[in-house]
């Protein structure tokens, strides 16, 4: 089946530094990927829609200069949290849209735990 | 009113019970409906994917969509302890659009 891989699965960084999270579709091409964040015991909140070869579309309230998204190829999107602060500590999850004869199915990565100290 | 509402639980049932999980929504434009299972500290796993109204069955899982009532359900038959997880309903207006998630229902199946 389709697999979406995220890396790293866990990362700890110092306040003020930047951290990059990668999302890869391993056996299919994804023109669209989505980035979510999830706080403990809460649902997934969509941060932005990443489109290959164009600028990401950010949801209301999400700072595009803080959460940089790059979708440089059909199998890779990256999320860079710039000047991270402890309140950015969260579970970040990506998903990729796979389009085939069955329609459009969205598959999720395993998520990346970010802790900012 | 939130776009997608779901009872957060927690829901606790004995092993072998039939579980009913539900979501309501407000946007009548939603046409694609999904159920995801999420284990603690893991990414969501797609369980069921349904287009428009009707029922869909896959093993012990049955998804129902009633667009007239803006209500979707997931039934789990013969529940197992391994079904203990958070179940998230999700929906979108088109097959290419962003997916909106419910808050999730925490389920515990007790042996």
């Amino acid at each position: 089946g389709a697999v979406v891989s995220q890396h790293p699965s866990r990362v700890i960084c110092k306040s003020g530094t930047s951290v990059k999270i990668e999302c890869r579709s391993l056996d299919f091409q994804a023109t669209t990927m989505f980035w979510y964040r999830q706080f403990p015991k809460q649902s997934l909140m969509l941060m932005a829609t990443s489109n290959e070869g164009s600028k990401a579309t950010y949801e209301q309230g999400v700072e595009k200069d803080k959460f940089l998204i790059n979708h440089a190829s059909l199998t890779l999107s990256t999320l860079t949290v710039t000047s991270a602060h402890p309140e950015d500590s969260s579970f970040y999850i990506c998903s990729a849209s796979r389009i085939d004869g069955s329609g459009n199915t969205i598959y999720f990565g395993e998520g990346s735990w970010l802790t900012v100290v | 009113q939130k776009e997608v509402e779901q009872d957060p639980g927690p829901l606790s049932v004995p092993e072998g019970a039939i579980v009913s999980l539900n979501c309501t929504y407000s946007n009548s434009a939603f046409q694609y409906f999904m159920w995801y299972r999420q284990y603690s500290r893991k990414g969501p796993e797609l369980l069921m994917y349904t287009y428009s109204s009707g029922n869909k069955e896959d093993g012990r899982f049955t998804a129902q969509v009633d667009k007239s009532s803006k209500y979707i359900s997931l039934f789990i038959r013969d529940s197992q302890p391994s079904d203990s997880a958070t179940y998230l309903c999700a929906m979108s207006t088109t097959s290419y659009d962003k997916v909106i998630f419910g808050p999730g229902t925490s389920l515990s199946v007790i042996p």
Side-chain angles (χ1 to χ4, degrees):
Chain A
V3 178
V4 174
S5 173
Q6 266 185 258
H7 178 81
S9 57
R10 290 180 179 274
V11 58
I12 301 172
C13 71
K14 291 184 177 180
S15 186
T17 63
S18 296
V19 62
K20 180 186 289 187
I21 301 170
E22 294 185 346
C23 179
R24 293 180 185 274
S25 55
L26 297 185
D27 60 356
F28 65 98
Q29 293 183 331
T31 55
T32 304
M33 291 185 175
F34 302 88
W35 286 96
Y36 296 81
R37 67 187 298 182
Q38 185 179 35
F39 291 108
K41 298 188 184 298
Q42 294 188 26
S43 190
L44 286 77
M45 298 301 296
L46 180 65
M47 298 175 67
T49 302
S50 170
N51 300 297
E52 188 269 335
S54 64
K55 291 183 178 180
T57 303
Y58 290 81
E59 295 299 301
Q60 190 174 9
V62 178
E63 299 175 62
K64 60 182 180 182
D65 294 330
K66 180 170 183 61
F67 298 99
L68 301 179
I69 291 172
N70 184 288
H71 194 155
S73 78
L74 287 171
T75 59
L76 174 64
S77 175
T78 60
L79 169 69
T80 301
V81 183
T82 63
S83 187
H85 291 283
E87 56 265 31
D88 298 324
S89 299
S90 185
F91 189 44
Y92 292 87
I93 309 172
C94 73
S95 66
S97 175
R98 175 182 183 177
I99 302 168
D100 57 25
S102 303
N104 179 37
T105 306
I106 295 179
Y107 295 92
F108 282 84
E110 283 293 296
S112 299
W113 283 98
L114 170 64
T115 302
V116 184
V117 298
Chain B
Q1 181 187 9
K2 294 182 179 178
E3 263 194 302
V4 181
E5 307 229 30
Q6 186 177 4
D7 187 340
L11 179 63
S12 184
V13 301
E15 183 175 355
I18 296 174
V19 177
S20 173
L21 304 166
N22 311 293
C23 285
T24 58
Y25 61 95
S26 58
N27 187 351
S28 58
F30 285 138
Q31 296 191 78
Y32 295 83
F33 304 91
M34 293 142 279
W35 284 96
Y36 287 85
R37 177 174 61 195
Q38 187 178 24
Y39 293 111
S40 180
R41 295 176 170 262
K42 296 288 187 180
E45 170 194 7
L46 179 65
L47 286 177
M48 302 287 282
Y49 180 89
T50 310
Y51 170 71
S52 195
S53 286
N55 295 356
K56 186 173 184 179
E57 186 174 325
D58 184 1
R60 296 185 295 111
F61 299 92
T62 300
Q64 288 185 351
V65 175
D66 182 349
K67 289 188 68 180
S68 62
S69 302
K70 299 191 184 70
Y71 187 89
I72 69 171
S73 300
L74 177 70
F75 297 96
I76 306 174
R77 291 184 299 280
D78 188 24
S79 55
Q80 303 294 309
S82 58
D83 295 329
S84 298
T86 296
Y87 289 80
L88 299 149
C89 64
M91 45 201 79
S92 63
T93 55
T94 71
S95 62
Y96 301 93
D97 204 355
K98 61 187 180 184
V99 175
I100 306 300
F101 283 85
T105 298
S106 176
L107 171 67
S108 293
V109 181
I110 310 302

